[in-house]
Amino acid sequence: MIRNKTEQNSTPRLSYISVCLLAAIVPNTSFANNNNQADIEKISIIGSNIKRTADVGALPVTTLTDIDIQNSGAMTGDDLIRSIPQMGQVNFGASTGNGGVNDARGDVSSINLRGLGTGNTLTLLNGRRLVTHPGTQSENFVPVSTVNSNTLPVAGLRSLQILRDGAAAIYGSDAVAGVVNYQLKSDFEGNRFTAKHGISEGTNLNESTINFLTGVNFNANASHFTGSVTLYNRDGMMANERAYSQSHDLRNFSTLPEEFIGDTQLDNRTTSTPWGDFRSDSLGLFHLSPANNNACEKKVSDAVCANSGGIPRTLRFDRAAHRSLVSDVQRLNLYGHFTHEFSDNLSLFSEAIYYQAQAKRVREQTHNLTAQRFVISKDAAFNPFNEEVKLNRYRPLDAGPRNIKVDDTSYRILIGLQGQYTNWDWETALFYSEAQTNDLANRVQASKFQQAINSQDTNLAYNLFSGADPSNPNTADTTLNNSAVVSSFMSDISRDSKTSLTSFDFKVSNGQLFALPDGDAGIAMGIEFRRETFDDDRDSLLDGSHPFIDQITGKQLSGSDVLGSSPTPDSSGSRNVFSAYGEVLLPLIDSAEQILELQIAARYEHFSDVGDALKPKVAVFWEPIDWISLRASYAGGFRAPGLPQVTAEAVPRSNSLYDPILDDSYGISDIRSGSNDLEPEESSNISYGFVLAPTDSLTFTADTWRIKQKSLVGILPGASHLLYDGLLRSQGSQNDAVVRDPITREVIHINNTYMNLNTREIEGVDLSFVYTIDTQWGQWELLGNAAKLLKFEQVADPISTQIIAAQHAGNSAVPADRNVSGAGDLLLQNGRPKLRAKIELNWQKDQWNAGISYNYTGPITDTSTTAEVGGEVQTLPVKSFKTWNSHASYKFSERSQLSGTKIQLGIRNLFDAQPPIADELAHGYFGSLHSNRGRYLYASISASF
């Protein structure tokens, strides 16, 4: 281990620290290389609050330095997070295919260490919490929130530190999988300007970023200010720019396994089309179709027929042609850090952050939900049937694209004091942080839409019986209605959300509390108070205050007057959290031959709404000889239910679900409600590993970890409710949570409530190595980092257990090819590969620097699509994803007129590997795991002055 280490400027040492997952982290500040103990500055390492004069530690840490971040070619926080093998799926973000009104849209990217799920990783900025993004998103069928990694500029980062170990006892709730700590530059001197531009080959996507960083000392060097401003712009990508996403019909995609080719499960086109289907007393269920010299059961016009039944597969609507795959984004990041030393033992520090972004994307207009099936008057100007007609499904495509604009802002203001009194270091800080999201989209107002359809004036009426484009029946509508008529029922629908975080903390530490035979014991103690708030204000047409009432029957059809959206009430909540913690560090052995240290910590947190928790942590570090280090830890963890999970009231989520009773998939509303009875999730995290450094140039590390979670907040998936209803009905009863139409037997809605579910167990191992060598041809580094997932198992709830047992017994009421989500062995399923790895080779000589890296993401399976092979049901295999990256840079020497200037060129995904095909979110690939950028070329220039 490195002890009392002197900071060096050599690139090999920096990269060594950054990649090899050492037991301790790079010091926050450097200290002098001399034998005067008084000149050695005490430092903090991540995973401990005790300041000391050595960076020995017992915890597995990954650190990316400024150089590592530059070499990664990352443009955004999303890019940076995805480059780390220990990270799981990025479920929030523009590349995941999300875009519905209930998704966290806009310029947002989530953090998901170990793949445990968003919200299980605590994210810090300079050691203190960050406010969560206001938008929530359904993950494992419950709403979760995340810190937005895009709020911090990549160009302004000094380092990114990842503690891959449970740390609830040190930092508080949410640190179940570990901690991510962003450190921004705070002691920079001078000025630096950086410009960077990148393009995704073969698409319109390109992005540019400009950063200006400045730092100055003043007040006779007692004061220092570091400031940064970053501008970012991205032109996005449409789904039709990639072969795998240009159509939602993937049945015959060339890279599919043979047994899945032609499978209708891979046809994700929708039956809700601009052709439409309807019901009437005389015709029953019927649909419109192009005449095209085909037989008509009833002729509507020369170009349009009415034929019995619902929309056939040949007329299904392909949404891909109308969707963004990546949003357009404009972003501003501002950061300032100020320090002032009043004396050697007292100083002030403060920071201010501001983030603003606007994201734009397009989608097709939505169709009416099952609950919004209204009546068309027999006297409507364009009703050709001379009787009342009930609208079954219809998509008003000629209303134009749904333009979605999301404005995100956040800021944080912090002020604090730190000092020393005898052997005690103390620090206190107060900060307030707030984030807002303003989401706006042009939508069809259902009541005005029905009014336009039922108008008897042809100049004011909307004609939905005109069909669509006979030449492109799956993608276009050329039978356009008058624009003034369309404008009469269009409305801008808003969703305004806000979160805030107020925090006060006070902590003390003493690295020399009392003497032990082989060293001084250390202690840290602290208290923290924080207040969290959440507010989600839906448009009045969405929140139930303006319901949709059928103008013909007078019956209320839906609490939402927005076509295609279920009613979602406003919600808000707040909680106060008080914390107290203590930590002790005991050097049991500290000699020239070996080191043995013990860390003991505990933290108590009281939540004003969900009770309290007391969690311990014990960690041990042993270096029996100078080239072998062993470490182990046990950490108790907890995670409080998110405010949306507690405060949600009857929030509907409409998705296409399979109904075994009707043997059909259609849009079904799953009404989900929060509960004040939810308890915090409990967890335990055990890890142990070793560091081998047989030579000064070779280091190898391995860490095994196991996490067990109890009382997980979850919900029974709507699909499972339907399977359970099918099982019970085959036995003469029914699932009361499933509400059906008594005549058609279609599901009206499902009633669901969040609850504490059963246990989950996850196990894995992290491996890394670094080999450095100096030659006459330059300095070389070979680096490796791998995350191996060994187990991911969720104990099934009682209802899921019954469904699975019925499937295994061959009960036809519960089809065996229907996956029971979120239960059993989840390893490999839907974004959980067994192995993710990265290998790098870097070279530096004089002003030249270059490198190449290989990234591997192992195969997974897509449970949404199955096939019977050899009498067994198999899920769709998704192949591994392999990419090569390269970069090269030149820094002009001090003797050059361009002194202080650096030029870098790079290519991510050198060989243009395409993401493996998957039946995921109708975009043909797992956007949360795989990149859609293809070959990505970038160049940057920076100048210091």
Side-chain angles (χ1 to χ4, degrees):
M1 291 301 302
I2 302 172
R3 304 176 61 231
N4 295 342
K5 179 180 66 63
T6 302
E7 186 178 50
Q8 301 180 20
N9 293 323
S10 64
T11 300
R13 174 56 61 196
L14 287 172
S15 294
Y16 168 76
I17 292 295
S18 68
V19 180
C20 72
L21 315 181
L22 289 172
I25 203 163
V26 177
N28 291 340
T29 53
S30 61
F31 45 89
N33 181 23
N34 57 47
N35 296 321
N36 186 351
Q37 187 70 19
D39 291 335
I40 300 178
E41 184 177 346
K42 290 182 286 186
I43 60 171
S44 294
I45 60 175
I46 191 170
S48 174
N49 287 302
I50 299 174
K51 290 187 176 182
R52 53 201 303 224
T53 58
D55 62 350
V56 176
L59 304 175
V61 173
T62 300
T63 304
L64 298 181
T65 68
D66 182 24
I67 298 297
D68 298 318
I69 294 169
Q70 291 180 40
N71 290 344
S72 73
M75 275 281 196
T76 66
D78 180 276
D79 293 335
L80 190 59
I81 288 296
R82 287 173 182 266
S83 71
I84 302 169
Q86 284 74 26
M87 288 294 175
Q89 310 97 291
V90 181
N91 291 315
F92 287 57
S95 297
T96 63
N98 300 313
V101 68
N102 292 312
D103 291 323
R105 304 190 291 202
D107 180 43
V108 56
S109 177
S110 57
I111 297 173
N112 181 12
L113 186 60
R114 303 293 191 200
L116 258 66
T118 305
N120 283 281
T121 304
L122 178 60
T123 306
L124 309 175
L125 171 62
N126 298 333
R128 289 181 170 85
R129 286 176 176 265
L130 282 162
V131 68
T132 59
H133 182 74
T136 61
Q137 196 155 291
S138 180
E139 190 171 302
N140 296 322
F141 308 103
V142 296
V144 295
S145 57
T146 182
V147 167
N148 183 6
S149 66
N150 287 335
T151 59
L152 301 175
V154 170
L157 289 178
R158 182 174 73 183
S159 69
L160 175 62
Q161 306 165 348
I162 303 167
L163 174 61
R164 300 173 285 105
D165 192 46
I170 304 295
Y171 297 107
S173 61
D174 305 337
V176 176
V179 177
V180 172
N181 182 37
Y182 289 87
Q183 286 195 316
L184 292 170
K185 295 181 175 71
S186 58
D187 54 1
F188 183 80
E189 294 184 26
N191 301 284
R192 187 168 73 191
F193 174 84
T194 303
K196 187 174 182 179
H197 182 73
I199 61 171
S200 173
E201 190 177 84
T203 75
N204 291 316
L205 187 146
N206 68 87
E207 47 193 346
S208 302
T209 185
I210 296 174
N211 171 261
F212 177 71
L213 177 67
T214 187
V216 59
N217 292 314
F218 53 100
N219 287 337
N221 291 330
S223 301
H224 179 84
F225 173 78
T226 296
S228 172
V229 56
T230 304
L231 297 173
Y232 170 81
N233 182 80
R234 180 175 70 207
D235 295 329
M237 182 194 307
M238 294 296 292
N240 58 15
E241 295 183 63
R242 291 298 191 196
Y244 46 81
S245 59
Q246 66 182 1
S247 174
H248 289 178
D249 184 4
L250 302 172
R251 288 176 294 171
N252 296 302
F253 202 82
S254 59
T255 59
L256 282 172
E258 182 179 353
E259 57 270 21
F260 286 88
I261 292 178
D263 195 322
T264 56
Q265 296 175 85
L266 291 160
D267 184 2
N268 294 304
R269 297 175 302 171
T270 175
T271 56
S272 299
T273 81
W275 294 101
D277 58 12
F278 312 87
R279 289 183 182 272
S280 73
D281 290 339
S282 65
L283 297 174
L285 177 64
F286 67 94
H287 69 274
L288 302 183
S289 60
N292 289 343
N293 298 320
N294 295 324
C296 284
E297 296 180 23
K298 183 175 180 60
K299 190 172 184 179
V300 178
S301 68
D302 291 339
V304 179
C305 289
N307 292 313
S308 61
I311 291 289
R313 188 172 300 276
T314 55
L315 289 180
R316 289 191 174 191
F317 178 62
D318 196 337
R319 293 163 287 182
H322 304 267
R323 288 192 170 188
S324 298
L325 195 61
V326 180
S327 301
D328 297 341
V329 171
Q330 291 182 327
R331 182 191 306 152
L332 168 68
N333 297 94
L334 298 174
Y335 172 65
H337 188 275
F338 172 77
T339 59
H340 178 75
E341 293 185 358
F342 296 105
S343 68
D344 290 341
N345 296 318
L346 179 64
S347 62
L348 176 145
F349 60 96
S350 63
E351 64 185 31
I353 298 171
Y354 179 76
Y355 156 84
Q356 182 181 42
Q358 183 176 91
K360 295 180 179 179
R361 65 186 302 141
V362 297
R363 289 168 68 97
E364 71 289 345
Q365 285 294 342
T366 54
H367 59 91
N368 63 301
L369 300 178
T370 302
Q372 296 173 324
R373 292 175 174 173
F374 56 82
V375 174
I376 302 168
S377 168
K378 64 179 293 185
D379 299 321
F382 293 110
N383 184 349
F385 300 106
N386 197 33
E387 63 177 331
E388 285 188 351
V389 175
K390 188 173 185 180
L391 175 65
N392 195 51
R393 292 187 183 96
Y394 180 77
R395 186 183 301 275
L397 194 61
D398 61 353
R402 190 172 11 143
N403 298 304
I404 301 164
K405 183 181 73 171
V406 182
D407 291 305
D408 290 311
T409 59
S410 69
Y411 66 89
R412 165 161 141 160
I413 300 175
L414 178 147
I415 187 167
L417 293 170
Q418 60 183 4
Q420 291 179 309
Y421 179 74
T422 63
N423 290 331
W424 290 89
D425 296 283
W426 61 270
E427 183 174 304
T428 184
L430 171 69
F431 75 82
Y432 177 77
S433 186
E434 182 176 293
Q436 293 188 38
T437 293
N438 305 110
D439 187 309
L440 195 68
N442 57 319
R443 302 291 301 277
V444 175
Q445 185 174 345
S447 58
K448 291 184 178 180
F449 185 52
Q450 185 187 20
Q451 182 179 348
I453 291 171
N454 284 331
S455 174
Q456 298 178 30
D457 185 342
T458 56
N459 294 316
L460 302 176
Y462 180 87
N463 184 6
L464 78 171
F465 297 109
S466 59
D469 184 355
S471 301
N472 300 283
N474 306 111
T475 58
D477 184 0
T478 55
T479 61
L480 304 180
N481 278 272
N482 183 285
S483 60
V485 173
V486 171
S487 297
S488 70
F489 55 73
M490 299 301 295
S491 181
D492 288 334
I493 304 301
S494 64
R495 177 186 179 185
D496 300 325
S497 305
K498 183 173 76 172
T499 54
S500 71
L501 173 63
T502 306
S503 177
F504 168 79
D505 62 68
F506 179 81
K507 54 188 176 183
V508 296
S509 71
N510 188 336
Q512 300 172 313
L513 182 64
F514 58 85
L516 291 173
D518 281 327
D520 293 325
I523 189 172
M525 300 176 291
I527 58 172
E528 177 187 351
F529 173 83
R530 68 179 188 269
R531 178 173 175 80
E532 304 168 354
T533 69
F534 165 78
D535 184 75
D536 190 15
D537 181 15
R538 304 289 181 133
D539 195 279
S540 61
L541 300 181
L542 272 177
D543 64 10
S545 58
H546 194 295
F548 175 35
I549 298 173
D550 191 316
Q551 297 161 5
I552 304 300
T553 65
K555 178 181 178 182
Q556 179 173 323
L557 299 180
S558 172
S560 167
D561 199 21
V562 179
L563 199 73
S565 289
S566 301
T568 303
D570 299 337
S571 61
S572 62
S574 64
R575 65 163 52 118
N576 298 327
V577 185
F578 171 77
S579 305
Y581 65 87
E583 176 192 352
V584 177
L585 190 65
L586 303 174
L588 304 180
I589 301 175
D590 191 351
S591 66
E593 291 78 24
Q594 61 176 317
I595 300 171
L596 178 63
E597 287 192 344
L598 178 67
Q599 179 194 38
I600 303 174
R603 187 182 187 99
Y604 169 79
E605 289 204 350
H606 173 73
F607 297 83
S608 59
D609 56 344
V610 292
D612 51 15
L614 174 64
K615 291 298 174 182
K617 179 162 188 172
V618 179
V620 63
F621 171 79
W622 182 35
E623 185 180 289
I625 54 179
D626 61 3
W627 61 277
I628 297 179
S629 302
L630 306 175
R631 58 196 179 199
S633 69
Y634 167 84
F638 58 96
R639 186 169 77 103
L643 287 173
Q645 297 168 4
V646 176
T647 61
E649 296 182 7
V651 178
R653 295 291 181 262
S654 182
N655 294 290
S656 181
L657 301 175
Y658 174 74
D659 181 359
I661 298 300
L662 299 181
D663 190 25
D664 189 19
S665 296
Y666 54 96
I668 295 175
S669 181
D670 188 355
I671 301 177
R672 305 169 185 175
S673 299
S675 172
N676 290 324
D677 296 327
L678 291 174
E679 299 176 353
E681 299 174 354
E682 305 279 342
S683 66
S684 61
N685 189 320
I686 299 173
S687 68
Y688 49 91
F690 61 84
V691 179
L692 302 180
T695 69
D696 290 341
S697 60
L698 176 63
T699 301
F700 177 81
T701 74
D703 290 281
T704 298
W705 54 272
R706 180 170 69 250
I707 299 173
K708 184 175 182 179
Q709 296 175 283
K710 300 179 181 178
S711 302
L712 290 171
V713 175
I715 204 166
L716 187 67
S720 295
H721 267 298
L722 295 173
L723 292 174
Y724 187 51
D725 189 49
L727 176 62
L728 293 181
R729 286 177 183 270
S730 71
Q731 299 169 350
S733 59
Q734 65 185 37
N735 180 3
D736 292 335
V738 177
V739 180
R740 294 181 178 272
D741 186 293
I743 299 175
T744 66
R745 296 202 299 170
E746 284 186 315
V747 177
I748 299 174
H749 63 259
I750 302 170
N751 291 317
N752 240 335
T753 302
Y754 303 124
M755 64 188 78
N756 291 102
L757 299 176
N758 282 334
T759 301
R760 176 188 292 169
E761 294 185 8
I762 311 102
E763 297 179 10
V765 61
D766 295 327
L767 303 170
S768 74
F769 68 87
V770 57
Y771 179 67
T772 63
I773 185 172
D774 288 340
T775 71
Q776 61 179 328
W777 301 285
Q779 299 171 326
W780 299 81
E781 289 180 314
L782 181 63
L783 315 164
N785 185 3
K788 176 78 171 179
L789 192 59
L790 303 175
K791 181 179 182 180
F792 204 113
E793 188 167 323
Q794 172 73 54
V795 177
D797 60 90
I799 291 178
S800 296
T801 300
Q802 293 182 57
I803 297 171
I804 294 171
Q807 288 179 324
H808 289 166
N811 190 328
S812 60
V814 188
D817 62 348
R818 295 293 164 177
N819 182 65
V820 180
S821 301
D825 183 6
L826 305 181
L827 188 62
L828 291 178
Q829 291 187 12
N830 305 326
R832 299 184 183 96
K834 286 185 177 180
L835 179 64
R836 295 187 68 182
K838 182 177 183 178
I839 299 175
E840 295 180 74
L841 177 63
N842 293 319
W843 167 79
Q844 179 181 344
K845 181 174 175 57
D846 300 327
Q847 283 79 44
W848 290 96
N849 184 292
I852 189 168
S853 64
Y854 171 75
N855 298 270
Y856 174 84
T857 300
I860 56 175
T861 64
D862 184 343
T863 61
S864 66
T865 303
T866 59
E868 188 171 314
V869 181
E872 293 185 0
V873 175
Q874 294 186 4
T875 54
L876 176 66
V878 179
K879 297 179 181 179
S880 60
F881 188 44
K882 313 177 191 72
T883 60
W884 290 87
N885 304 325
S886 64
H887 65 86
S889 64
Y890 180 80
K891 186 175 183 179
F892 290 88
S893 67
E894 294 181 359
R895 298 186 301 273
S896 168
Q897 291 184 344
L898 295 176
S899 173
T901 301
K902 179 180 177 180
I903 298 174
Q904 183 181 40
L905 301 174
I907 303 176
R908 300 204 311 253
N909 195 352
L910 186 63
F911 301 108
D912 197 26
Q914 299 300 300
I917 196 71
D919 188 25
E920 171 71 5
L921 291 174
H923 279 317
Y925 76 110
F926 271 97
S928 61
L929 189 64
H930 302 138
S931 172
N932 59 23
R933 297 300 196 267
R935 184 183 290 115
Y936 183 91
L937 300 88
Y938 63 92
S940 70
I941 182 171
S942 64
S944 299
F945 52 94

